[in-house]
Amino acid sequence: MNQRVNQNMTMFTPFVGLGHADRKFLISRATKWCEENLPIHHSGFPPDVKFRNMGVGIRGKYDAQFNTMVLSTTEIRDVRHLLKIFLHEWCHSVQDFEGYDEERANTSDWYYLTNKWELEANRYKVVWYLLWIDIKRELGSSPTLTEQVVLGWNKFYREILGF
């Protein structure tokens, strides 16, 4: 059975509405974009990506032992959120060489607001809109008017943060 990618998906397409082909396409494009534009894992190999139900409040996790990111099937809202979580976990895969240790991480709000690993990974999320522009180009379409407004604001935020 040959599945087709939804050519009309937007950044607001609900994650639960994405088929297997859509998820595979998004992860493949995101991986390629990250390899071309961001630092890569010290092994020279991008992390594998798996989708699982990880429980309430857990959107993603990087497993350094297996160089694998696991993304939630229940906590990701839409395509935009998927890309942000992917970029966040990509950063953790790069941090692996610098001593990032998921086992020492905890999920308290204070930890995410103060920990240097999480602060850096949260900065990676800011460039999701550049990835989305690349994906739209690959789909053979342009961002919708609503998407253009969101993309414009994200570009502004990125410039303010200097990332």
Side-chain angles (χ1 to χ4, degrees), residues 8 22 24 26 41 45 48 55 60 63 68 70 78 80 83 91 95 98 111 113 130 148-150 154 160:
N8 298 316
D22 296 331
K24 186 176 177 181
L26 289 168
H41 187 271
F45 296 101
D48 290 329
D63 184 339
T68 301
V70 182
D78 54 27
R80 174 178 51 172
L83 299 179
C91 181
Q95 292 169 340
E98 300 168 5
Y111 176 83
L113 291 172
L130 296 171
Q148 289 177 21
V149 170
V150 172
N154 278 271
I160 287 175

Side-chain angles (χ1 to χ4, degrees), residues 11-163:
M11 66 176 72
F12 308 110
T13 299
F15 181 77
V16 295
L18 296 175
H20 177 73
D22 296 331
R23 290 179 188 179
K24 186 176 177 181
F25 168 77
L26 289 168
I27 295 304
S28 171
R29 291 303 307 158
T31 300
K32 184 176 186 225
W33 186 88
C34 287
E35 287 178 312
E36 294 170 354
N37 296 283
L38 296 174
I40 191 166
H41 187 271
H42 62 90
S43 69
F45 296 101
D48 290 329
V49 179
K50 298 182 186 310
F51 287 97
R52 289 203 181 99
N53 179 346
M54 299 172 57
V56 176
I58 303 171
R59 295 173 196 95
K61 179 179 179 176
Y62 174 70
D63 184 339
Q65 182 179 358
F66 297 104
N67 189 26
T68 301
M69 55 173 97
V70 182
L71 306 177
S72 175
T73 56
T74 56
E75 295 295 310
I76 297 176
R77 297 183 300 270
D78 54 27
V79 171
R80 174 178 51 172
H81 196 213
L82 170 64
L83 299 179
K84 288 180 179 182
I85 301 305
F86 179 90
L87 290 166
H88 181 97
E89 299 307 327
W90 182 275
C91 181
H92 287 322
S93 78
V94 174
Q95 292 169 340
D96 180 28
F97 185 65
E98 300 168 5
Y100 173 75
D101 183 2
E102 176 66 28
E103 295 304 314
R104 290 190 318 216
N106 68 56
T107 58
S108 71
D109 290 339
W110 182 250
Y111 176 83
Y112 278 97
L113 291 172
T114 60
N115 181 274
K116 71 176 185 171
W117 305 115
E118 296 303 329
L119 291 171
E120 181 181 19
N122 284 333
R123 289 186 66 214
Y124 268 55
K125 292 181 188 180
V126 176
V127 297
W128 75 270
Y129 77 97
L130 296 171
L131 172 54
W132 180 245
I133 291 169
D134 185 66
I135 289 171
K136 284 299 262 194
R137 190 177 310 115
E138 184 71 21
L139 288 171
S141 61
S142 300
T144 65
L145 184 58
T146 305
E147 287 179 313
Q148 289 177 21
V149 170
V150 172
L151 293 170
W153 276 108
N154 278 271
K155 180 180 179 187
F156 176 71
Y157 292 142
R158 178 178 172 245
E159 290 169 358
I160 287 175
L161 292 175
F163 185 77

